[in-house]
Amino acid sequence: MDCKKVFLMRAKRKLMQKSMAIRDIISRLALPLLVTASLVGCATPTLRGTGDLGVVIERATGSVQILDTTHRSSLGKVNGLGDLSHASVSYSRDGRYAFVFGRDGGLSKVDLLTQSITHRVIQAGNSIGGAISQDGKLIAVANYEPGGVRIFSVDDLTPIADIPAVGANGKRSKVVGLVDAPGRRFVFSLYDAGEIWVADMHKPQQPILHKFTDVGKEPYDGMITSDGHFYAAGLFGEDGVALLDLWNLQAGVKRTLVQVGRHGEKLPVYKMPHLEGWATTGDLIVLPGVGQHEIILADQNTWQEVARIPVAGQPVFAIARPDNRQVWINFAFPDNETVQVLDLPSRSIVKTLKPGKAVLHLEFTPRGDQVWVSARDDNRIDIYDPETFEHIGRLPADKPSGIFFTSRANRTGL
Amino acid sequence: MADSPHLSLERQRELVSFVRQDCGSCHGMRLTGGLGPALTPDALKDKPIAALISTILQGRAGTPMPPWNKFLSESEATWIVDGLQKGFPDAR
């Protein structure tokens, strides 16, 4: 309840205790004055933008905290978001609303300014992530169960379209690596079927599907280059990357970077790498050596490997600093207390940090003056200056995982 | 059902957190499944205990399930399987 309502109720209660005569006078004269006075003393909503805000997922409690990167503070907590053991977030194009995708198929629209859930649907049994369309009107969710993509209106989460992911093998497949692409498209991969699909959303109720079959075994995640030109799916079941030129769908999916793989060695992988957010710097693309303690640098034009950098563990995220000079990397269990910083010009690790137990994610502020790191088992977020590596802030959080700043609202793919 | 192997309370707490958080990255923190299958009592009720222990320790060929024998002993894997089949404790 807002404080104006609370005040009015209290004022009415007080009035009931007064004599009739006095009540008449107060209701005609004093009450409006009191209300005015109270609104000044009230937590008056201050007008503000959202460009310096974000959220952190608190995976065990099904909540998010609203973060403020200017004051390096938490503005509040929003509960009731369901199972967030795997979760991701897309933003409305005005950066006000966070769309939270939960493990349990929950899709929630959270208003960062009022710190409340405006809409929420359980749209599937088990989901992995999603993206917002180029025009900001549609929100698409990738589902494991039932395998497919469901598309909703951003306004009120009304269902718009349902795309069951039935592969050429006739079976329903889990969907991974869903991104938005220029030309009002969504692109995603079918994990079990080994396919990549492009959904043209010019007519939102009737998506036109372009299906690419036999792209490789078990695409586990996908990414789009920051310019929206290429979609790449990482393969788990065999070596390499399945690459689709979104400017030229007729050319089909090509296999590239066959060095990026386990080479039949069946190296154990203790956590699936995430490709979303992997660095594409214009010249170089940075990829995880699946199962290896290695980062692979490839030429972004030829998609050929140019270097291989030994790192502290199996990489999970590799996030480029906004100036693209450095890439910050975190790792799978059991090396998940470590974060390493790769300097691209010298192709060397220039810093190894131990921010805390179970580092799950990191996120840069839009211009790269800060990097926020979540340490799940230490129940906190640590903030570093990416230039000096100085520790500049710390916030408590309950089993924090993904950190998502509103600058994502303006990035293709998310 | 066989008695749970004796593990210190501290190790049990670590294992609960490990299963919920680290196994949870593929199987879901509520163990209802993700890229990996559900590990709920209902999903596991007809699976032989020895096969489940072996899956944890040796991994499962042809799937992303890795072997965990570098990090878990046989008695710890047995304790986990027992817990999963009964209904796994919460981390908190």
Side-chain angles (χ1 to χ4, degrees):
Chain A
M1 192 181 308
D2 67 32
C3 76
K4 186 178 169 186
K5 277 185 194 155
V6 171
F7 176 81
L8 284 173
M9 279 176 56
R10 283 187 191 147
K12 276 183 189 164
R13 211 178 300 138
K14 274 186 184 167
L15 281 175
M16 298 293 281
Q17 296 158 2
K18 305 280 179 185
S19 73
M20 291 294 288
I22 295 172
R23 198 177 81 183
D24 280 346
I25 293 165
I26 290 178
S27 61
R28 251 182 259 141
L29 188 69
L31 186 57
L33 287 176
L34 284 170
V35 169
T36 312
S38 82
L39 283 177
V40 175
C42 221
T44 326
T46 320
L47 288 177
R48 66 158 302 156
T50 62
D52 59 350
L53 299 185
V55 300
V56 60
I57 302 289
E58 295 181 306
R59 68 202 296 261
T61 47
S63 51
V64 296
Q65 284 190 46
I66 315 284
L67 307 172
D68 171 338
T69 60
T70 300
H71 302 96
R72 296 177 201 150
S73 63
S74 168
L75 300 181
K77 191 185 277 240
V78 178
N79 289 296
L81 297 164
D83 179 358
L84 299 185
S85 56
H86 188 286
S88 77
V89 171
S90 291
Y91 281 99
S92 60
R93 61 193 269 124
D94 63 3
R96 175 169 176 176
Y97 298 97
F99 296 91
V100 181
F101 311 98
R103 165 100 295 164
D104 55 2
L107 168 62
S108 310
K109 181 177 179 180
V110 174
D111 184 341
L112 300 192
L113 294 181
T114 62
Q115 300 175 17
S116 60
I117 299 172
T118 65
H119 298 84
R120 176 168 161 80
V121 292
I122 301 292
Q123 53 82 41
N126 196 319
S127 62
I128 185 69
I132 191 164
S133 59
Q134 183 184 27
D135 59 9
K137 292 179 179 168
L138 305 171
I139 193 94
V141 193
N143 291 320
Y144 281 172
E145 184 54 50
V149 172
R150 286 189 171 145
I151 292 166
F152 301 86
S153 158
V154 295
D155 297 329
D156 55 5
L157 307 184
T158 307
I160 302 280
D162 184 15
I163 305 174
V166 179
N169 59 7
K171 290 182 191 156
R172 214 155 168 155
S173 177
K174 296 184 183 91
V175 171
V176 298
L178 171 69
V179 301
D180 96 281
R184 299 172 81 179
R185 294 182 287 182
F186 289 115
V187 188
F188 49 92
S189 298
L190 278 60
Y191 173 77
D192 308 288
E195 300 184 14
I196 294 174
W197 290 11
V198 178
D200 178 326
M201 301 305 298
H202 281 88
K203 290 182 183 166
Q205 263 103 13
Q206 297 152 295
I208 298 168
L209 300 173
H210 302 266
K211 301 177 182 178
F212 300 89
T213 55
D214 294 321
V215 304
K217 274 189 203 155
E218 293 169 347
Y220 63 89
D221 199 6
M223 57 146 7
I224 189 167
T225 50
S226 48
D227 56 5
H229 186 167
F230 291 100
Y231 177 83
L235 300 175
F236 190 84
E238 55 189 296
D239 296 339
V241 167
L243 184 68
L244 179 60
D245 181 346
L246 295 170
W247 293 1
N248 183 13
L249 293 185
Q250 281 66 39
V253 172
K254 291 180 181 145
R255 183 72 56 84
T256 184
L257 283 170
V258 290
Q259 306 92 329
V260 183
R262 298 184 296 156
H263 310 295
E265 291 170 44
K266 303 294 172 209
L267 290 168
V269 176
Y270 298 112
K271 181 171 174 168
M272 284 285 184
H274 284 58
L275 289 179
E276 185 230 272
W278 274 72
T280 58
T281 68
D283 302 324
L284 288 173
I285 184 158
V286 183
L287 291 161
V290 180
Q292 322 262 0
H293 292 202
E294 277 177 347
I295 290 281
I296 289 153
L297 300 183
D299 183 303
Q300 204 177 309
N301 295 309
T302 62
W303 290 84
Q304 296 301 309
E305 178 178 323
V306 295
R308 194 169 275 244
I309 316 287
V311 291
Q314 297 180 349
V316 176
F317 281 102
I319 315 284
R321 202 169 73 176
D323 66 356
N324 286 334
R325 175 167 180 173
Q326 292 177 352
V327 176
W328 288 52
I329 306 149
N330 76 330
F331 302 98
F333 174 90
D335 301 302
N336 54 6
E337 296 183 6
T338 301
V339 167
Q340 287 194 308
V341 181
L342 168 64
D343 178 62
L344 286 177
S346 64
R347 293 180 187 171
S348 60
I349 299 294
V350 292
K351 190 76 184 175
T352 298
L353 297 164
K354 301 274 183 187
K357 284 186 195 155
V359 172
L360 291 194
H361 195 224
L362 30 102
E363 177 95 334
F364 285 91
T365 48
R367 298 193 188 209
D369 61 311
Q370 304 167 34
V371 59
W372 291 46
V373 180
S374 60
R376 181 192 69 201
D377 291 352
D378 281 332
N379 293 302
R380 64 174 194 239
I381 298 167
D382 282 292
I383 310 169
Y384 292 88
D385 177 339
E387 192 185 342
T388 62
F389 309 114
E390 188 192 346
H391 184 259
I392 54 173
R394 173 170 289 173
L395 292 175
D398 204 343
K399 298 274 185 238
S401 58
I403 302 171
F404 304 90
F405 293 147
T406 54
S407 44
R408 289 169 173 259
N410 305 309
R411 294 227 306 263
T412 292
L414 313 177
Chain B
M1 186 167 294
D3 286 341
S4 301
H6 184 72
L7 297 174
S8 72
L9 281 175
E10 191 193 344
R11 185 60 182 157
Q12 290 182 27
R13 265 197 302 276
E14 282 172 9
L15 290 178
V16 168
S17 169
F18 174 79
V19 169
R20 292 272 171 198
Q21 303 292 338
D22 293 298
C23 304
S25 54
C26 278
H27 296 280
M29 207 172 53
R30 295 181 188 173
L31 307 172
T32 49
L35 202 60
L39 303 178
T40 52
D42 199 43
L44 298 182
K45 66 173 187 269
D46 297 327
K47 303 267 197 306
I49 292 171
L52 293 171
I53 293 168
S54 160
T55 296
I56 291 174
L57 293 175
Q58 312 303 330
R60 206 160 159 198
T63 78
M65 178 69 179
W68 294 92
N69 53 10
K70 270 170 71 182
F71 312 102
L72 298 171
S73 69
E74 189 165 345
S75 61
E76 289 169 344
T78 309
W79 185 87
I80 290 172
V81 167
D82 185 51
L84 290 172
Q85 290 195 320
K86 285 175 179 161
F88 207 73
D90 271 328
R92 44 185 63 236

